[in-house]
Each structure stands twice: as structure tokens, then as C-alpha cells.
Amino acid sequence: MASTNYHRASLRSERQIPTARGSVANASVRTKPASSKRSVAAGSLRASIDDENADSGRVRVAVRLRPKNAEDFPFDADFTDCVELQPELNRLKLRKNNWSSESYKFDEVFTESASQRRVYEAVAKPVVESILEGYNGTVMAYGQTGTGKTYTVGRLGKDDPSERGIMVRALEDIIANTNSNFDSVAVSYLQLYLESVQDLLAPEKTNIPIVEDPKTGEVSLPGASLVEIRDLDHSLELLQIGEANRYAANTKLNTESSRSHAILVVHVRRSLKKKEENDASSLASALNGDLPSFSMPIVQKSKLLVVDLAGSERIDKSGSEGHMLEEAKFINLSLTSLGKCINALAENGPHIPTRDSKLTRLLRDSFGGTARTSLIITIGPSARHYSETASTIMFGQRAMKIVNTIKLKEEVDYESLCRRLEYQIDYLTSDMDRQQKLRDTEKEQMEKKLKAYEVSLTDAEKKLVVKSEDFEKEKIHLELKIKSLLEELNTQKGENNHLFEEVVRLETCLKQSKQHQLENSTYQKILADTTQMYEKKITELLKHLEDKNSHYSTLEAQMTEMQQQLNDNQKLLQIKEKVIDELQQEMSKLNKEAESKIQSLEAQKNELLLRKESLNKELKALQEKLLYEEMQRRTLEDDIVKSKNALNDHSTELEYKRSHQMDSSIRSASVLGGALNTPKPNKSRETISTQRDTISKIFEEVGLSNIVGLLKSEDLDVQIHAVKMIANLAAEDMNQEKIVEEGGLDALLTLLESSENTSIHRVTAGALANLAMNGLNQDLIMSKGGARLLAHIASRTDDPQTLRMVAGAIANLCGNEKLRMMLKEDGGIKALLGMVRSGNNDVIAQIARGMANFAKCESRGIKQGYKRGRSLLIEDGALNWMISSSTTFSAPIRRHIELALCHLAQNVSAEDNARDFVSNGGVKELVRISQESSREDMRNLASKALNSNPTFLAETRGV
């Protein structure tokens, strides 16, 4: 096969669109065309912006052209390119030949040299931004195989980050714009292969069911891996694991052609910024000692689907054959279903066939739903693929007509709200305790200070009284001393005056004596003596006067000193009185401050108590709401139980008999080749109609999801009635798909495995028998281990009714050609043979029917050419039992055994089969059937089996 520039490298290597020769890759920002082509008026620009805002819900479609490769040139030398791009006008011309072309307009047109970043920013980034704002979104690539879908969407760019595709860049933007403390991002990576949903992150998970919420219509995939991503490296590792597990094959059109549709589902759960601000303010206020603010926590849940569709292909061009041909059929079938849905939505058709394919069910929300959707279609330039290119372009044109209703999904986070309320209550309680402790501490400190001040004041008052008394005593003493000194001073003054008068008198006498001296010389001597005496006396008096004066001065000094000391004591007393006044003022001020602070603390305490009471009321309201919902659920369960009790306890078995007999009549035409006509049930149509009406009424009133939920009830009676209800619903074909979608099959298998109750085993096996009448359900039952569980139950019980239900379920599974080997490996055939021990005719009838169905499938496989080798029935020893029992039981059982032997006789092309059939007497039994059977068609079938095998003919001659 010729090499191509557009290929994948290594294991699931990434497709690469190389830059055309001589051109330069575009920058991340789209360049403007020349001025002559870009002259757009401001008004028209604003109008285009308004139009873009108006149709924001419309599916946006971009087209990307793959570069040429070596296989594009030899087709027609004169006319090689059928596509002409006009990116400045967002238009594309599709040329059928050199003179005929058609023009189409898209939202974006990318040339072969467009960079991965430019494609992402124009096509996927608006959708990613919507995801971060709380909306659902889808980015999908559609086109012919080999045109670059996986390169555009799924390239990992391990060696060159500029080559990363939409998946990696979308995850990178989402991780960069979310906060790991408040937001979560989780991914699932799936593939749709052969109309089976498989998990690329856990390859062992296959046939994952698709469940639709009947109320919201939201599609979910229970059982698929959901991995929370930590960073970009972790997401790249998950994408690499998924790519390694994806199916790919080498075709003529592509060396690594995707054989499955890949779907990356990114779940984003975001808390609003308001919550972050509240938490930040709560933390700040908590640090400041304030109460955290309260608000309702809102979360946004959004989902991004990045879909890499497998390429449509024409078998004559791709060269697919064998298993690849089967893959191509399923790919084209799912793409055809998608195209029908797109056509119906574009034309506003009354019915949208979304249930025709699992792909359209998965994309139900992307087209005509609530998601913001961008579609990129990839085409090749070669005229060789003109029809495929035209089909891809028309697909994109029809998709552009679809308008989705974009809806924001926000809801109250009640769990977070309860946690926050509990936290605030705890916070308020602890804060109240802390405030109470602070108040008590401050009160104790204030009381201690008050007592200390009172003691200090008392001591100061006592000291002041003592000092005042001392001062008074000292004052009285000083006053008395001063009075005595004054009296003494006055006495001294009197004496001094008397002495002065005496001195004056003596001087006068002296003068007189001097005058008489001359007169009386006789008296001179006496006068001299008297004068001397008086002089001495005067001298003594003068000296005494001086002493008195000095003593008086001393007394005056002492008096002055005592006066000064008295003044100082008075000043000190005044200072003490001022200090006492200041202390009294300070005490009154402190008392006022203490009273005001106590009042403030009391007010805060009352406010906190009111806040606590308010929060307790809100918490109580939430608890009452939850209690009310719980009471509603219990009331609903009670109503269901009452409704189910109104039914007859045997309704399940009667309905199963009716459905089994009807199935036998239908299956006899298909499985038994129209050879048998099962008698119609004896129950009157009126009774059946009444039962159907009762079941329908209960189904409408209760709802299937609630009935399935009751399978998990702890009440055994409730479980039994719920299984009976599902068994009755499963008898109608229109209900079986709903039961599976609601998880009813999984719940039944879980209940069958976990329960030890015989009644549970009986009614659960009956419900599985009804579900096993549908081919798709048979695949699901086998893939989930249903046959193994049924075989296990058959080996553990001897109850005939339970064995009849188990045998009926296995018998229905025996009618599926694809499950023969799996059924044998799970012990289904041996379980049927083991139940023969019961000897009950009803059980034996189901065993015989299962053998006939299994032999019919083996016979059909031989005719179609894909069954070879020894018969599985013969390997497990069923031939001996059929031959020994062919004439033992009643006519209906014998007819099933005879039919099984006739079909088994057609599977004797292998030497071992023929030898076992002959040695066990099978040929003799065929001869008896051909001669003695009561039905002509059975006799003809036995004769045909004998005549078609030479070994049998030789054996009949001996007989």
C-alpha cells in the first residue's frame, strides 16, 4: 500500500496534518485577509455580533480540509481537487468538474495549513467556556475515514505540544480554570464498538447499559469508570491508556483506521465564586472574632462530550473484508442513524429516531437538547472521493439548522449547607463559651481590682484620719507652746522696760551725783563706789538684756520654724485630700466602665443566643424537610405494598404460564420450524385482561424506578412482591427495555445471588425467564453471569416450582445461537440435565424445550457453515437422556425430545457425533419417530435426517 503524508505513527499513533510545502502554519490568532477583502462597515460588524448572540444555541459547524497525499494525484490529471476554500468569506466551493460547482457557507473554514490551536480556539474553546459556566457541551468530529478526525480531536502531542488535539486542550483549559479546593473534574473514556459500549479505561467492562432519566431525559452510563483527574499529566496518561485500548485496523484508505466511535465525557462540578468569597470572608471574620456569614451553597454541574466518530467508508474503496466488513457495517449503520436524526431535527420532523442506535442515544442532548454543540467536519481534496465529500458537507449544512435550548444546571448543595450550618452552630456555641469565659474572667478581674481599690481606699482613709489626728495634736501643742513663748516674751519685755527705766533712773541719779560731786567731795568716794556699783549693775543688766534678746530671737526663730512646719503639714493634708478625691473619681469611673462593659457583653450574649436560635430553626426546618421526604418515601413503599397485596399471590405464576404458553406457540413456529402447535392457555381472556389492567394501574401510580428500588428493601415480603411486579411487567415486550434501562436486570441478578430465600429464587427466576424471551436481554443476562447463577440455584434447591422457573429461563437462553458455547461453559446444559432429578412433569417439559432449542441452534449453525466439530449436547451427555426419555413422558414432552433428536441428527457430520449417535441407539429412535410419531411433519423430519446421512442408512439396513 502506498505511503501517505497523513498517517498515524506507532501503536494507535496520532494522526498528523503536515503543513503544505512552501506555506507557513497559521498563528494562534486568525489573520485577516487583504484590506480589499476585509472592508466591513462597523454597523454590519455589530449586526453580525448581534446575530451570533441571537443564535448562540445553534449548532456551530466548521469544516477542515486535509492536505493532499500521494494517493490524491493519479485520479485525474486535469481535475484533481474537488474543493475550493474561501476562508475569508467562511465559504466552500464543491466542484463536480471544471465548469460546475456549488458554494456552501459554514461558521468556520480551515485550510490544510490551519494550526491545531486555531482550530481549538474557534471550534471547541467557546464550548469549554460554556462548560465552566455550568452548561453542557459537545464537540464532535465527522467525516470520511482518513480525513483527519482523530488528528483534530484526539492527538496527544507528546513530542510536540503544538500538535495537541481538542481533547487535550479542552482538559488543559478546564483544569486551569477550576479550583481543586472547591471544584472537581472527572472523566470517562468510552468507545462504541459493534453497537456495544465499552470502557477504554477499564477494557474488561463491556456492554455498558445506557440509562435515560424519564424525568430529565439525561443520559447516564452506570458501570463506566469515572476517574477524577488531578492535573494535565494525569489526564494525558488516561487518554494514552484509552487510545491504546481503542480498536483500529489497516485499510486501503487509512493505515490506522478507527473501528469504533470514541467518546470522552468530562464531568465538571463547580462551586460558585460566591461560595469562595463567603468562605474567604468567613475565614477573615473568624480571625477577627466575628461570626461567619451565611449563604446558600450553589453548585454547577456540567458535562462535556468530545466525540471522535469512526469514519464512514465505502467497502469497495476501503477493501474491508471478514471481521473488518462486520465492523464497517456497524459503523455505517450508526452514522446512518445519526444522519436520520440530524435530518429530522433540521426539518422539524414530528419524530426523532434517537432510539435506532446507541450512538444517537448517547448524543441525544447534543442535537436538539440542552447542550452547546460544535461540529467539525473533515474532508479530503481529492475528486476521487467526491460523493463522500458531498455527503459530509450536506451533513454539516443540515446540522447548522439545529437549534438547541441551552440550560444552566444549578442546584443547592444541601449536604454542604448542612455541614456549614453544623459548623456555624458549633462555631457559635464555642464562641459563646469563649465569650462567657472571657466575661467571667474579666468579671473576676474587675471584682479583684474593685476589692483591691476598696482595701486601698480604706487604708488610705485610716492613714489620713491618723495623720489628721496627729496634725491636730501637733497643732494644739504648737499653739500652746507659741502662747507660752508669747507670754514669756511679754514678761521679758516688761522686765526689759523695767530695767531700762531703772537704767534711766540710775543715769539720772548719776548725773545728779556728778553735779553734787563738786558740792560734796565727801560723797565722791561713795559716789565713785556707788557709780562703780551701778555701772557693774548696769553692765549686768545690759548683759542680761542681751541674753534675753538673743533668747527672744531664738524663740522667734523656733516660732517661725513651727509656723512653716504647720503650713507644710496643711499643704500635705490638702494634697492627701486631692489624692483621695482622685481615687474616688477613678473608682466611680471604673465602676461605670465595668457596668457598661457588662451591659455590652450581655447584649452580645443575647445577640448570639438569637443567632443560635435562628440557625437552630433553619437546621430544624432542613431536618423536617428531610424527615418529610423520608415519610413520603415510606408512604410510597406502603402504598406499593398495599397495591401489590391486592393482587392474587399466584398472579406471577399464572402470568408466566400465559406468557410461556404464548411464547411456546410463537417459538414453535420459529424454533421448532412450525412443526408444533401449542394449545392455547385455558385461562379466559377476561381474567388476563383484568390482570393486565391491574398491573398497568400499579405501574402508572408507582413508577418503574420506584418498583426497581424496592428490590433493595430489607423487608422480604416487599422484595417478593416487587419481583412479582417486575415479572408481570416483563411479560409484555414493550416493558422489557424499560426494565433493563432502569437497572431492573442488574437488581434481579444481584438479588438472585445474595438471597437465600426459596420464594425469592422462584419469582426472580420467573422474571429472568420473561426477560430472556428478548434476544438483546439474552446477551445481557449471559454477559452478567445470569446463566451461571441460574445453574447454581438449580443445584441448591429441590423445589419443583423454583426448578420450573430456572429451567424455563435456561431454555429461553438455549434459543440464542451466539450464546451456545458460553451457555455450556457456565454449566447451563448440565444444570438442565441435573434438574431431571425432580421428576416433575412441568420441569421436564422446560428441560425438553431447552434441549430442542439448543439442538435447533446447532443444526442452524451447521447449515450456515460456521459450526463444526462435536455437538455440545453430546459432550455434556444429553443424548443418552433424550433417547432413554423419548417414550417415557407425556405427548408434549415427547414431541420436544423427538424434535431435539431430529435436529441433533443433522449435526453428525463430525465422525465423533455420528459414532455416539449410532452407539447410543439414536438411529433406532429416529426410525421409530419416522414410523410412529403422531405428527406428520415430525415423521418427515426424522426421515430426512435418516436419508441425508450414509452412516444412518447403513445402520437402518441392519435394523
Side-chain angles (χ1 to χ4, degrees):
M1 181 177 295
S3 62
T4 175
N5 291 331
Y6 193 74
H7 64 283
R8 301 181 190 176
S10 73
L11 178 62
R12 280 301 304 166
S13 56
E14 303 156 349
R15 302 177 200 170
Q16 183 177 4
I17 300 181
T19 305
R21 183 179 300 174
S23 64
V24 180
N26 288 6
S28 60
V29 180
R30 181 176 178 179
T31 58
K32 299 286 186 179
S35 59
S36 60
K37 297 181 180 180
R38 65 179 178 180
S39 58
V40 181
S44 61
L45 179 59
R46 286 194 297 270
S48 64
I49 293 174
D50 294 339
D51 293 340
E52 183 176 356
N53 293 333
D55 63 349
S56 59
R58 180 177 61 81
V59 175
R60 300 186 60 80
V61 181
V63 60
R64 187 178 193 182
L65 180 64
R66 171 183 59 79
K68 290 183 180 180
N69 55 32
E71 296 181 357
D72 292 335
F73 291 99
F75 179 69
D76 189 344
D78 296 330
F79 178 62
T80 58
D81 294 345
C82 66
V83 176
E84 178 183 350
L85 301 182
Q86 296 175 325
E88 65 278 1
L89 300 177
N90 284 337
R91 299 193 71 87
L92 174 149
K93 284 187 177 181
L94 180 63
R95 298 189 301 172
K96 191 170 184 180
N97 46 49
N98 286 330
W99 57 86
S100 175
S101 65
E102 294 181 356
S103 179
Y104 301 95
K105 183 174 179 61
F106 291 92
D107 293 304
E108 290 288 342
V109 174
F110 299 109
T111 63
E112 61 271 17
S113 61
S115 66
Q116 290 281 76
R117 180 176 181 178
R118 180 187 167 197
V119 172
Y120 169 75
E121 290 183 348
V123 176
K125 190 167 185 176
V127 179
V128 173
E129 291 174 349
S130 297
I131 297 299
L132 295 172
E133 293 174 358
Y135 300 93
N136 290 343
T138 302
V139 179
M140 186 174 74
Y142 177 90
Q144 183 190 6
T145 181
T147 55
K149 296 181 298 302
T150 301
Y151 172 82
T152 301
V153 173
R155 183 166 178 84
L156 300 181
K158 292 178 290 185
D159 299 328
D160 186 1
S162 65
E163 295 296 320
R164 289 175 175 173
I166 290 175
M167 287 184 179
V168 180
R169 294 179 185 271
L171 288 173
E172 185 177 10
D173 273 0
I174 291 173
I175 294 172
N177 288 279
T178 53
N179 189 335
S180 59
N181 294 326
F182 304 105
D183 308 330
S184 65
V185 181
V187 299
S188 297
Y189 201 6
L190 311 166
Q191 69 173 350
L192 183 60
Y193 178 69
L194 298 180
E195 204 61 17
S196 172
V197 180
Q198 302 177 5
D199 196 331
L200 290 175
L201 302 180
E204 68 276 4
K205 295 182 179 180
T206 58
N207 285 331
I208 298 174
I210 302 173
V211 178
E212 296 179 15
D213 192 327
K215 295 181 179 178
T216 63
E218 185 175 353
V219 177
S220 60
L221 297 163
S225 300
L226 187 63
V227 183
E228 187 167 347
I229 58 177
R230 302 181 296 271
D231 49 33
L232 183 60
D233 293 336
H234 185 209
S235 62
L236 287 172
E237 181 181 352
L238 294 176
L239 291 177
Q240 190 171 359
I241 293 173
E243 282 296 307
N245 293 323
R246 190 177 177 188
Y247 286 97
N250 187 0
T251 67
K252 292 181 180 180
L253 297 178
N254 193 354
T255 57
E256 280 288 326
S257 175
S258 300
R259 313 308 292 169
S260 66
H261 306 301
I263 304 171
L264 176 68
V265 186
V266 184
H267 297 271
V268 181
R269 185 181 186 275
R270 302 196 71 190
S271 299
L272 292 183
K273 293 182 178 179
K274 183 176 180 181
K275 175 179 178 182
E276 298 181 16
E277 295 172 359
N278 288 335
D279 291 341
S281 63
S282 298
L283 180 59
S285 61
L287 294 175
N288 294 330
D290 298 332
L291 184 67
S293 59
F294 176 78
S295 62
M296 297 293 284
I298 305 298
V299 293
Q300 292 179 342
K301 294 182 180 180
S302 55
K303 181 172 64 176
L304 171 65
L305 269 66
V306 184
V307 185
D308 178 17
L309 295 176
S312 60
E313 60 182 63
R314 294 178 59 178
I315 305 304
D316 56 344
K317 292 184 179 180
S318 65
S320 298
E321 57 185 11
H323 187 65
M324 289 174 57
L325 178 61
E326 190 73 13
E327 293 173 340
K329 290 179 180 178
F330 276 98
I331 291 171
N332 291 336
L333 181 63
S334 60
L335 293 177
T336 301
S337 299
L338 178 61
K340 290 179 180 178
C341 291
I342 297 297
N343 292 343
L345 288 168
E347 297 172 0
N348 294 323
H351 172 65
I352 312 300
T354 56
R355 308 189 71 85
D356 289 356
S357 169
K358 289 186 177 181
L359 176 63
T360 53
R361 291 177 65 190
L362 290 171
L363 298 178
R364 179 176 182 177
D365 193 45
S366 303
F367 295 98
T370 62
R372 188 183 300 276
T373 302
S374 288
L375 170 67
I376 181 167
I377 59 174
T378 57
I379 58 176
S382 175
R384 174 188 176 193
H385 305 297
Y386 173 83
S387 59
E388 291 86 346
T389 302
S391 175
T392 301
I393 290 173
M394 293 310 298
F395 180 89
Q397 288 291 303
R398 287 189 291 268
M400 288 179 66
K401 299 178 182 179
I402 300 174
V403 178
N404 294 342
T405 304
I406 310 300
K407 289 184 180 179
L408 180 65
K409 186 175 181 182
E410 292 183 352
E411 60 185 32
V412 177
D413 191 355
Y414 286 104
E415 294 181 359
S416 176
L417 177 60
C418 288
R419 289 196 299 270
R420 290 185 61 189
L421 287 174
E422 291 174 355
Y423 164 74
Q424 289 198 0
I425 290 173
D426 295 339
Y427 175 83
L428 287 173
T429 304
S430 61
D431 187 63
M432 287 179 63
D433 295 340
R434 181 172 56 83
Q435 293 291 342
Q436 185 65 35
K437 289 180 181 179
L438 288 175
R439 286 195 297 272
D440 293 342
T441 304
E442 289 182 358
K443 185 176 180 181
E444 291 177 0
Q445 292 178 353
M446 293 296 293
E447 289 177 351
K448 289 180 180 179
K449 286 183 179 181
L450 187 59
K451 290 180 181 180
Y453 285 142
E454 290 176 352
V455 173
S456 177
L457 182 60
T458 305
D459 294 340
E461 289 177 350
K462 290 180 179 179
K463 290 180 180 180
L464 186 60
V465 170
V466 173
K467 285 187 178 182
S468 298
E469 292 176 353
D470 293 340
F471 286 146
E472 286 293 332
K473 291 179 180 179
E474 190 173 356
K475 180 180 178 182
I476 294 171
H477 176 69
L478 289 174
E479 288 177 351
L480 293 173
K481 194 172 183 180
I482 291 170
K483 187 176 181 180
S484 63
L485 288 174
L486 287 174
E487 290 177 352
E488 187 178 354
L489 183 62
N490 292 330
T491 304
Q492 291 295 328
K493 283 183 178 181
E495 291 179 355
N496 287 339
N497 292 332
H498 178 72
L499 289 175
F500 182 74
E501 291 176 354
E502 186 69 23
V503 170
V504 171
R505 188 183 64 82
L506 288 175
E507 286 179 352
T508 305
C509 289
L510 181 61
K511 288 178 180 180
Q512 290 177 358
S513 60
K514 282 181 179 180
Q515 289 177 1
H516 293 287
Q517 185 177 9
L518 295 177
E519 298 177 357
N520 194 1
S521 59
T522 309
Y523 292 105
Q524 287 183 355
K525 188 176 181 179
I526 296 170
L527 182 60
D529 293 336
T530 304
T531 302
Q532 288 179 358
M533 183 186 64
Y534 280 122
E535 285 178 355
K536 288 180 181 180
K537 204 172 205 178
I538 289 168
T539 303
E540 290 176 0
L541 288 173
L542 289 173
K543 187 176 180 181
H544 183 69
L545 181 62
E546 288 177 0
D547 292 337
K548 290 292 184 180
N549 287 331
S550 62
H551 181 65
Y552 178 75
S553 299
T554 302
L555 289 176
E556 284 183 346
Q558 288 180 356
M559 185 177 176
T560 304
E561 184 179 354
M562 292 297 293
Q563 189 69 34
Q564 183 67 34
Q565 189 176 0
L566 181 60
N567 294 332
D568 292 340
N569 288 333
Q570 288 177 349
K571 291 180 180 179
L572 182 60
L573 182 61
Q574 291 176 356
I575 292 172
K576 291 291 183 179
E577 289 176 352
K578 289 182 180 179
V579 171
I580 290 172
D581 293 337
E582 290 177 356
L583 288 174
Q584 290 177 345
Q585 291 176 1
E586 186 177 356
M587 282 293 297
S588 62
K589 184 178 180 180
L590 289 173
N591 288 332
K592 291 180 180 178
E593 289 180 355
E595 289 177 358
S596 63
K597 198 159 188 179
I598 290 172
Q599 290 177 356
S600 174
L601 291 174
E602 289 293 336
Q604 288 183 3
K605 178 182 178 181
N606 294 333
E607 183 181 356
L608 291 174
L609 289 174
L610 290 174
R611 191 69 179 271
K612 180 180 179 181
E613 184 178 357
S614 174
L615 290 175
N616 284 332
K617 287 181 180 179
E618 292 180 3
L619 182 60
K620 186 176 180 181
L622 286 174
Q623 290 174 346
E624 289 177 352
K625 183 178 180 181
L626 294 175
L627 182 62
Y628 176 71
E629 292 178 354
E630 180 68 17
M631 292 176 62
Q632 279 189 329
R633 185 183 67 80
R634 291 180 180 177
T635 303
L636 182 61
E637 289 182 356
D638 294 339
D639 292 341
I640 293 172
V641 171
K642 291 178 182 178
S643 300
K644 289 182 289 187
N645 288 336
L647 293 174
N648 191 316
D649 291 339
H650 299 289
S651 61
T652 303
E653 296 182 11
L654 293 175
E655 185 66 22
Y656 171 70
K657 286 181 180 180
R658 181 187 63 79
S659 61
H660 163 60
Q661 290 169 346
M662 292 177 65
D663 177 62
S664 298
S665 63
I666 297 172
R667 196 176 294 278
S668 62
S670 58
V671 176
L672 307 182
L676 301 177
N677 289 322
T678 305
K680 293 183 180 180
N682 296 326
K683 181 181 291 186
S684 66
R685 295 191 178 187
E686 182 178 355
T687 303
I688 296 174
S689 177
T690 303
Q691 289 183 350
R692 286 182 178 176
D693 293 341
T694 304
I695 295 170
S696 300
K697 183 177 180 181
I698 295 174
F699 175 67
E700 292 174 358
E701 292 179 353
V702 178
L704 181 57
S705 59
N706 292 326
I707 296 175
V708 173
L710 291 176
L711 294 177
K712 300 178 182 179
S713 174
E714 297 180 358
D715 190 341
L716 183 62
D717 292 336
V718 173
Q719 284 184 333
I720 293 174
H721 287 299
V723 176
K724 287 181 178 180
M725 184 67 65
I726 293 177
N728 285 317
L729 293 173
E732 300 293 336
D733 293 340
M734 62 180 179
N735 296 329
Q736 292 183 358
E737 185 176 359
K738 295 180 182 178
I739 292 173
V740 175
E741 289 177 354
E742 291 292 341
L745 177 59
D746 293 333
L748 288 172
L749 293 175
T750 302
L751 188 61
L752 186 65
E753 183 178 10
S754 60
S755 178
E756 299 293 335
N757 185 271
T758 303
S759 298
I760 291 290
H761 292 166
R762 181 177 69 256
V763 295
T764 305
L768 290 175
N770 288 342
L771 289 174
M773 290 188 293
N774 181 282
L776 294 177
N777 293 341
Q778 291 172 355
D779 293 338
L780 290 175
I781 292 171
M782 292 299 299
S783 65
K784 296 177 183 296
R788 186 174 64 257
L789 287 174
L790 291 170
H792 181 63
I793 296 299
S795 65
R796 292 172 54 192
T797 184
D798 292 325
D799 178 52
Q801 297 299 327
T802 303
L803 291 176
R804 179 171 64 85
M805 297 295 181
V806 172
I810 296 177
N812 289 339
L813 295 175
C814 288
N816 194 317
E817 300 175 12
K818 299 179 182 179
L819 305 178
R820 286 180 294 104
M821 182 57 70
M822 189 183 300
L823 190 63
K824 178 185 181 300
E825 293 174 352
D826 288 348
I829 300 174
K830 290 184 178 180
L832 287 176
L833 294 174
M835 286 185 280
V836 173
R837 70 182 185 277
S838 68
N840 185 277
N841 286 335
D842 293 335
V843 178
I844 301 298
Q846 297 300 326
I847 296 171
R849 185 171 67 87
M851 296 295 181
N853 288 344
F854 201 96
K856 174 65 176 178
C857 291
E858 283 194 333
S859 175
R860 188 182 296 113
I862 292 173
K863 292 178 180 179
Q864 295 177 357
Y866 60 82
K867 174 67 176 69
R868 293 291 186 271
R870 195 178 186 195
S871 168
L872 300 180
L873 284 175
I874 296 177
E875 283 185 2
D876 282 353
L879 179 61
N880 292 332
W881 177 79
M882 287 189 288
I883 292 175
S884 62
S885 304
S886 60
T887 58
T888 304
F889 297 102
S890 59
I893 298 175
R894 289 202 309 270
R895 283 197 294 272
H896 282 300
I897 296 175
E898 291 172 355
L899 182 64
L901 286 171
C902 292
H903 284 303
L904 194 59
Q906 299 177 14
N907 189 18
V908 293
S909 56
E911 183 178 350
D912 293 340
N913 292 339
R915 184 168 58 252
D916 289 338
F917 203 85
V918 173
S919 63
N920 286 286
V923 175
K924 294 180 182 178
E925 192 61 31
L926 284 177
V927 171
R928 185 193 65 78
I929 295 171
S930 65
Q931 296 173 356
E932 301 176 4
S933 177
S934 60
R935 298 187 62 85
E936 182 180 359
D937 51 359
M938 193 69 69
R939 294 195 299 272
N940 294 336
L941 190 61
S943 299
K944 181 179 178 181
L946 288 170
N947 296 328
S948 62
N949 193 300
T951 304
F952 291 170
L953 290 175
E955 186 69 16
T956 54
R957 295 189 186 96
V959 176

